[in-house]
Amino acid sequence: MGVRMTGKVHLVSDYRTSPDDLWALTKDLDALVAMNARMVKMQGVPSGDMYSGQEFVAQVSLFGVLPKQPYGIHVLEVDDTLRIFRSTEHGSGVKSWNHTGRVEETETGARLIDEIFIDAGWKTPLVVAWANRLYRARHAPRLRLLDQRGVLR
């Protein structure tokens, strides 16, 4: 039996848009694929908004260079009233990736808060460092997508 190691990622991102517009982008799986494209190529992700109970297995490749590997995603909850989702994910060397994302209103617009608990065994510190980079790298593409939708203030 190995040692169970978990790490945490906590990222807060502010946007000059309405909470509803940021939430619409946050739950859009097509936007997820686009925002990850620079660092993680994803195939097999369904189109449209995620929904409670949704399960799928995507093929992921870091930078589109490393071999594709299966990565399972189970959307546990999507609450449009509270603007929150919860998912549990695994694959590509990750035992568990438990993600909660929520959108809140701020004085200047909206805030996305991502909190992820990761267990990748002995690789957990490396995967947490990677996840921090990945989630920070989503900011610029998210701004572009909000701008393309015409919802930035």
Side-chain angles (χ1 to χ4, degrees):
M1 221 192 233
V3 173
R4 185 165 175 88
M5 249 181 126
T6 57
K8 180 179 176 182
V9 174
H10 182 86
L11 186 64
V12 177
S13 305
D14 289 329
Y15 299 92
R16 291 187 171 275
T17 191
S18 76
D20 288 339
D21 288 328
L22 181 57
W23 174 243
L25 187 70
T26 299
K27 65 181 183 172
D28 182 336
L29 292 170
D30 298 301
L32 172 69
V33 171
M35 288 184 294
N36 281 345
R38 199 179 109 237
M39 295 180 70
V40 178
K41 302 292 183 197
M42 302 177 80
Q43 294 179 330
V45 176
S47 193
D49 289 349
M50 67 173 113
Y51 56 86
S52 296
Q54 184 176 29
E55 291 186 68
F56 58 92
V57 177
Q59 295 295 315
V60 298
S61 168
L62 298 184
F63 304 105
V65 176
L66 294 179
K68 294 177 197 167
Q69 295 187 16
Y71 190 77
I73 299 175
H74 180 192
V75 181
L76 302 170
E77 174 187 14
V78 177
D79 186 322
D80 290 328
T81 303
L82 297 175
R83 295 187 205 101
I84 190 168
F85 77 86
R86 288 178 183 31
S87 68
T88 184
E89 309 168 19
H90 67 280
S92 296
V94 174
K95 294 176 185 179
S96 67
W97 181 296
N98 298 311
H99 185 181
T100 299
R102 71 181 184 276
V103 172
E104 299 176 347
E105 187 169 4
T106 66
E107 288 184 19
T108 58
R111 173 173 293 145
L112 173 60
I113 302 166
D114 286 298
E115 190 168 73
I116 305 106
F117 291 92
I118 298 170
D119 177 3
W122 67 268
K123 297 178 285 185
T124 297
L126 298 171
V127 175
V128 167
W130 163 258
N132 270 298
R133 275 192 65 169
L134 175 65
Y135 280 79
R136 281 179 172 70
R138 288 181 179 178
H139 183 73
R142 187 177 287 115
L143 283 170
R144 279 193 299 278
L145 289 168
L146 289 167
D147 189 43
Q148 287 171 3
R149 292 179 179 202
V151 296
L152 280 181
R153 297 182 196 161

